[in-house]
Amino acid sequence: MSIRSTVLATAFALASLGASFGAAEARGLRPIEAQSIHLGDVSGVAYYTVEPDGYRVVTTLSQGEAGTPVRFVSVLAPGQRALLSTPNQAGAVEISRNGDSVTVRKSGTLSN
């Protein structure tokens, strides 16, 4: 099995453990629980693990089944957030950490 096939299979397996969310819905995550993410024609999953230096958030995205998967890893301390967006989509997905809670939600228009 190719690396790309393995990544896609893992991403879709993790997505089946979580649920997707609507435009106005925010959803809290638990460690290792996957959350589906949709940004127009780009979609994938995000999950986190608890590490000594913070919460390690892993996001894997791909454009359709034929797109090359891309993986983003960030470590969030309390009060930090990560924004995911595409140039063709008006909104973004925000993954934020407040204390021991991680939330994934659709975010409005990005600003500098």
Side-chain angles (χ1 to χ4, degrees):
M1 185 180 273
S2 72
I3 291 174
R4 182 170 150 214
S5 296
T6 302
V7 169
L8 282 175
T10 301
F12 289 116
L14 287 171
S16 68
L17 296 173
S20 48
F21 58 95
E25 181 181 347
R27 183 164 181 273
L29 285 180
R30 293 178 299 218
I32 306 296
E33 178 185 56
Q35 171 69 52
S36 295
I37 293 176
H38 303 283
L39 290 166
D41 58 351
V42 176
S43 60
V45 296
Y47 68 92
Y48 78 95
T49 58
V50 178
E51 305 290 333
D53 55 341
Y55 286 9
R56 182 175 181 253
V57 178
V58 179
T59 307
T60 304
L61 298 170
S62 179
Q63 185 173 15
E65 290 185 27
T68 301
V70 178
R71 180 177 163 179
F72 302 93
V73 178
S74 56
V75 177
L76 299 180
Q80 289 186 320
R81 66 185 179 141
L83 289 173
L84 305 170
S85 66
T86 65
N88 299 328
Q89 188 71 19
V93 171
E94 177 183 289
I95 303 171
S96 59
R97 178 178 174 195
N98 291 312
D100 292 337
S101 174
V102 173
T103 303
V104 178
R105 69 178 186 93
K106 284 278 192 176
S107 181
T109 306
L110 296 176
S111 61
N112 290 335

